[in-house]
Amino acid sequence: MLDLTRFYINGEWVEPHSKDTFPILNPSTEKEIGQITLGNKTDVDRAVSAAATAFDSFSIRSKSDRLSLLTNLHEISVNRLEDLAQAMTMEMGAPISMSRDAQAASLIGHIESFQHALETLVESETLPGGDLLLREPIGVCGLITPWNWPILQIGLKVIPALAAGCTCVLKPSEHAPISASVFAELIDAAGFPAGTFNLVHGKGAQVGRALAQHPDIQMISFTGSTRAGKDVTKNAADDIKRVTLELGGKSPNIVFADSDLEERIPASVYECFYNSGQSCDAPTRLIVERSCYGQVVELAEQAARSQEVKDPSLEGDHIGPLFDEIQYHRVQGMIQVGIDEGATLLVGGLGRPEGIDGGWYGKPTVFSDVKNTMRIAQQEIFGPVLVIIPFDDEDEAIQLANDSPYGLAAYIQTSDSKRAERVAARLRAGQIHINGSAPNFATPFGGFKQSGNGREGGTHGLEEYLELKSICRN
């Protein structure tokens, strides 16, 4: 049994004030594999105090010092990549090949990207009128990360905060605490000064809310559900904190008849199902030109039937379980909603895949003949569920794509590059993927509308942790 009952505060593993514990469950077996302590306000106060004390000296450390610390962290992270991968496979069910190649590898990529962003950052410049402009760290940051991409999100928040000269308190998801604790070990081994990084496990209603309300925190960065993001924003409002949010999505994937359907449709289905559909930017609405609709439905059905669901400890490109019982039943409920709404169930449906009797595994599911007004087309399901919607012309495709409370990502499949750019310019989303293109680590990530505000990754992600100071002089 794993013992994660201590917190990392002020450079040490310490006994929490709280005595409440929470089981760590393996979603593929439903068995308890360890425990964490759920922190309280006193634990948060202790961590914030350490971060505030450390900020005085760390905020004035030179750029070269901070780059040296990032170099140390990069080397140590590479050496412990397997530990990170195994942690995420245990705690949230990512298949081990994906845990290595995408989940854990993302930390390495983001460290390198933020190293470059810091190297090129202009911390002091003279403006055209002769005044001086400084870029300085914002202060103590409260960082709240989700369970679905645990280390990626920790990397997107902690690394730019430290690179900028900020100090921080991290509250990872209580459902994915193992990888966060490994990360704390990496920070410690890299030589970051005591108090610059602090880790407190806990639930959002206690630790997350205490961070958002804390008067000595200047910035909150949150990734999670839109509902929780609203709560964070309200709790941070009294102190006028800077709040950045990366929230939900219901990303459209527009398929024009001139695209390479034989290649792009299976790829689109697999991308929807990737990480068991538990990605906020997953292309879950396949919006298809009517002239090729029948062919697309056939190709999508074939691809979905070929999607394997297996034990995440096995090598391969299969998908694993949903991360816990609550999410499993939430997805089951939304599949029932789709059936009740009258959508055509092509593949999948209710229950576990054939031959799987335990674990929180869901069936890869595809609905066709979906109307964009249906709940399965408007609400984020966060499971391996794809809906297919027809359109007649380009304007209708854009209207359907934008008819959503979310605006995190959008996808376009077409062989016409001018049309791709024309449509991309009209889509209300923070990141557009054309014909399967993937962003690099320096590409800013974030959304429009209820998908949040602010950007993560690269130079733009680093700038979120900086304040501008103008020095006016004769």
Side-chain angles (χ1 to χ4, degrees):
M1 294 282 284
L2 296 168
D3 181 4
L4 302 180
T5 53
R6 294 186 300 167
F7 300 156
Y8 184 78
I9 297 176
N10 203 30
E12 297 179 327
W13 290 99
V14 301
E15 293 296 328
H17 175 269
S18 171
K19 301 306 176 187
D20 294 337
T21 59
F22 185 78
I24 308 167
L25 301 180
N26 184 319
S28 65
T29 64
E30 305 173 44
K31 293 180 180 179
E32 183 174 339
I33 56 175
Q35 283 192 337
I36 61 168
T37 301
L38 297 174
N40 58 24
K41 184 178 182 300
T42 301
D43 293 308
V44 170
D45 288 345
R46 183 181 182 183
V48 173
S49 177
T53 300
F55 180 75
D56 289 341
S57 57
F58 190 67
S59 62
I60 57 175
R61 292 281 288 265
S62 68
K63 179 193 289 190
S64 62
D65 282 352
R66 284 173 279 143
L67 282 169
S68 178
L69 289 168
L70 291 181
T71 298
N72 294 346
L73 182 62
H74 180 271
E75 180 180 349
I76 293 163
S77 299
V78 169
N79 291 336
R80 294 200 61 188
L81 186 141
E82 183 65 19
D83 292 337
L84 289 168
Q86 293 291 342
M88 288 179 281
T89 293
M90 284 191 290
E91 68 192 2
M92 50 79 61
I96 187 60
S97 297
M98 180 212 180
S99 283
R100 292 190 188 108
D101 300 340
Q103 295 268 12
S106 68
L107 177 63
I108 310 303
H110 283 303
I111 294 173
E112 294 170 353
S113 176
F114 285 123
Q115 283 177 301
H116 177 73
L118 180 56
E119 286 170 350
T120 57
L121 176 69
V122 178
E123 296 182 303
S124 174
E125 63 179 298
T126 301
L127 298 173
D131 292 336
L132 186 65
L133 179 68
L134 304 181
R135 292 177 175 84
E136 298 181 350
I138 190 170
V140 178
C141 302
L143 310 175
I144 305 173
T145 56
W147 51 263
N148 62 322
W149 286 87
I151 282 296
L152 179 145
Q153 284 296 327
I154 288 173
L156 279 171
K157 298 183 191 303
V158 175
I159 306 306
L162 297 175
C166 298
T167 59
C168 60
V169 179
L170 170 68
K171 189 211 87 67
S173 168
E174 66 273 23
H175 298 284
I178 309 172
S179 55
S181 293
V182 173
F183 180 80
E185 294 172 2
L186 304 181
I187 288 285
D188 187 80
F192 281 88
T196 53
F197 169 84
N198 304 274
L199 169 68
V200 177
H201 292 297
K203 292 190 174 183
Q206 287 79 41
V207 173
R209 190 165 293 171
L211 287 171
Q213 293 176 343
H214 204 291
D216 292 333
I217 286 181
Q218 286 73 51
M219 174 179 170
I220 291 286
S221 179
F222 171 84
T223 296
S225 70
T226 298
R227 175 195 54 77
K230 292 176 182 178
D231 188 66
V232 166
T233 303
K234 291 174 183 177
N235 281 289
D238 285 348
D239 298 310
I240 320 297
K241 290 179 176 64
R242 180 180 297 176
V243 178
T244 64
L245 305 169
E246 197 267 281
L247 307 175
K250 192 70 178 179
S251 299
N253 186 357
I254 302 174
V255 178
F256 290 99
D258 65 355
S259 63
D260 183 351
L261 300 178
E262 296 281 348
E263 192 271 331
R264 294 309 315 145
I265 299 308
S268 294
V269 172
Y270 299 141
E271 188 160 9
C272 173
F273 293 162
Y274 194 61
N275 203 31
S276 298
Q278 299 171 133
S279 297
C280 48
D281 61 343
T284 53
R285 287 188 297 149
L286 200 63
I287 301 174
V288 181
E289 191 167 4
R290 198 176 297 275
S291 62
C292 66
Y293 184 79
Q295 184 182 359
V296 167
V297 167
E298 287 184 12
L299 289 168
E301 180 178 1
Q302 292 170 12
R305 291 192 187 281
S306 71
Q307 176 65 73
E308 291 186 305
V309 183
K310 295 165 64 176
D311 185 335
S313 67
L314 301 175
E315 305 274 354
D317 58 3
H318 54 280
I319 62 173
L322 296 163
F323 91 101
D324 80 344
E325 181 179 9
I326 293 174
Q327 185 64 15
Y328 172 80
H329 289 298
R330 184 179 293 129
V331 172
Q332 294 292 298
M334 287 304 296
I335 291 172
Q336 185 63 58
V337 165
I339 294 169
D340 294 343
E341 287 180 315
T344 299
L345 180 62
L346 279 180
V347 182
L350 299 171
R352 293 180 173 88
E354 186 176 350
I356 297 178
D357 298 322
W360 304 119
Y361 294 88
K363 294 179 182 177
T365 297
V366 179
F367 286 102
S368 63
D369 305 320
V370 174
K371 295 182 175 66
N372 205 50
T373 53
M374 291 179 176
R375 286 175 61 193
I376 57 170
Q378 288 292 312
Q379 295 182 15
E380 186 174 39
I381 298 173
F382 230 56
V385 181
L386 175 67
V387 302
I388 308 180
I389 304 166
F391 73 86
D392 289 308
D393 57 36
E394 185 176 303
D395 285 339
E396 185 186 12
I398 294 167
Q399 183 273 322
L400 289 169
N402 288 336
D403 182 17
S404 167
Y406 301 109
L408 187 56
Y411 300 72
I412 302 169
Q413 319 299 332
T414 179
S415 62
D416 185 336
S417 60
K418 290 184 178 179
R419 172 156 60 187
E421 293 181 8
R422 182 173 67 242
V423 172
R426 294 178 61 189
L427 294 177
R428 299 287 295 166
Q431 194 169 94
I432 315 296
H433 305 257
I434 297 173
N435 294 329
S437 59
N440 62 51
F441 290 108
T443 303
F445 182 68
F448 289 20
K449 299 185 282 187
Q450 291 190 33
S451 287
N453 56 61
R455 292 297 181 266
E456 294 187 309
T459 298
H460 300 88
L462 179 63
E463 289 173 348
E464 296 285 355
Y465 294 85
L466 297 169
E467 286 278 25
L468 297 179
K469 177 186 286 183
S470 301
I471 298 179
C472 305
R473 53 192 183 182
N474 291 328

